[in-house]
Each structure stands twice: as C-alpha cells, then as structure tokens.
Amino acid sequence: MENNITLETVQHKAAVCDLCELYKGRIKPVFARGNPNSSVMICGMCPGPDENNQGSPFVGTAGQVLNELLVKVFGGTESVYITNLVKCFVKPGISLQQHWMSRCLPYFIVQVSLIKPKVIILLGKDVCNYFLGVNEEMGKLRGKTFKYLSTNVVCTYHPSYLARGGGKQHKHFNTVLKDFTTAYQLSAN
Ligand code: URA
C-alpha cells in the first residue's frame, strides 16, 4: 500500500476489495466505528447479517452485548475504535478460513499503524487463534495477553457467544468484563 495512507483511503480500498470470494456477499462495506483517536481498539471476527445490511460493525445482538461491556468498562460505546479482522460478511456459524483472515490482515495492520492503540482486544476463537498461531479453545485463550506490532493484545470470548447464552446472564459475562478491565488498565499505562 502507498505511503501517506489514511483511514479513509484504506476504508475505500477495503470497500471495493475482491482479493477473496467473500466480496460476493458484501452488501454494505463494514470497516469500523467509534473513536479513531482512542487508545483502545476492538477487533471482532467479521460482519454478520445486520452489519452487512447497515454498513457498521457490531450493530446486531452481539453489538448490544458489546455495548453493555463498553459502557461498564470504558464509559461509553463510542470511546473505543471497533473493527473486524475480516471486513466482508460471513454467514453466522461458519469458522473464518485462514485465507480470508490473511487477505484482510493488511487492512487491519494499516488500521493499527494509524490508530496506534495502546491495547487491542481480540474477540473470539478464530481471531485469537489466528494471531497466536495456535488452535485452542477459548477457555485456554481468554485472558491471555501478548504483543502484536509492539501493541498489547488481550484475548477474550466473543460477545455473540455471550448473546447466545443470555447476554449479561451468561456465566462468562463477568469473565469478559474482567478481560476488558485488564485491557483498560493496559491502556491507561
Ligand atoms: N460479530 C463480529 O465479529 N463482528 C461484527 O461486526 C458483528 C458480529
């Protein structure tokens, strides 16, 4: 990608990307929402049907649970920068393929290099495994911290997993709150 790239230019590139077959299912491009000046970046997996229709990440039921967590830990839903590793729609229930994530990775890397967050929260098994280069269950991965592009990363459960089990009532809602709090602390250092 050329020098002097901005979030707008990378967003436009992602919006017309055809580097893998997922572009065929794209209705509205889904790039990011929230605060590009935040020290916290949240990375989900991929847009679902609601996001594909509305053109913004985490606007469906998983987004409602994410918003509850954000209000509790970060004081609001727009105070962090929210994106997905895979920018195009994937049918719910399908695991992310390696080549989808690898094709989209350069967009994510540019986002990280421009936002310069102090911490990145990775949501869900597929993205956590991808960045760690392992194949583990979330029970083993959650709470793990590591560095990516010199940035602190925290792994946790995906909000859609919480949403499927009652949202706030889910036995792991507080686990995710704890992981978000770890991220908050890392962002404040
Ligand atoms: N799940 C994700 O991983 N991302 C979204 O934007 C919505 C649901």
Side-chain angles (χ1 to χ4, degrees):
M1 291 186 200
E2 72 264 25
N3 289 332
N4 299 325
I5 196 155
T6 63
L7 282 174
E8 287 70 32
T9 53
V10 74
Q11 178 166 2
H12 287 134
K13 279 180 189 290
V16 295
C17 180
D18 59 3
L19 291 176
C20 79
E21 67 276 19
L22 289 181
Y23 79 91
K24 294 176 193 159
R26 183 171 61 220
I27 298 173
K28 285 197 182 160
V30 179
F31 189 67
R33 72 169 162 96
N35 178 5
N37 298 312
S38 180
S39 55
V40 181
M41 187 161 167
I42 300 202
C43 177
M45 300 201 310
C46 58
D50 295 317
E51 291 76 20
N52 199 25
N53 283 317
Q54 295 184 46
S56 185
F58 286 99
V59 291
T61 43
Q64 285 168 17
V65 177
L66 177 61
N67 284 346
E68 288 182 43
L69 292 157
L70 293 177
V71 168
K72 279 185 188 292
V73 180
F74 296 102
T77 59
E78 296 300 310
S79 56
V80 301
Y81 182 82
I82 304 171
T83 190
N84 286 303
L85 176 55
V86 170
K87 306 293 193 245
C88 287
F89 169 67
V90 177
K91 278 192 192 145
I94 295 186
S95 297
L96 296 183
Q97 293 186 18
Q98 290 282 323
H99 79 278
W100 297 339
M101 295 188 273
S102 297
R103 291 297 187 181
C104 262
L105 182 64
Y107 301 121
F108 180 74
I109 290 176
V110 175
Q111 286 175 295
V112 174
S113 63
L114 292 171
I115 307 277
K116 299 186 179 61
K118 284 194 165 175
V119 65
I120 301 168
I121 303 177
L122 295 181
L123 301 175
K125 186 175 160 186
D126 294 351
V127 292
C128 294
N129 274 318
Y130 180 75
F131 282 104
L132 283 163
V134 297
N135 185 15
E136 300 276 12
E137 292 305 315
M138 266 323 288
K140 287 248 169 71
L141 299 175
R142 70 125 300 251
K144 249 190 206 315
T145 60
F146 64 100
K147 294 248 187 191
Y148 181 73
L149 302 172
S150 311
T151 308
N152 287 304
V153 177
V154 179
C155 294
T156 197
Y157 291 102
H158 196 284
S160 63
Y161 168 66
L162 300 181
R164 287 195 298 275
K168 259 194 207 155
Q169 316 307 324
H170 194 289
K171 64 176 178 183
H172 284 310
F173 185 85
N174 284 334
T175 314
V176 178
L177 263 188
K178 197 171 161 204
D179 296 339
F180 272 45
T181 304
T182 301
Y184 173 78
Q185 285 160 350
L186 287 168
S187 76
N189 287 333

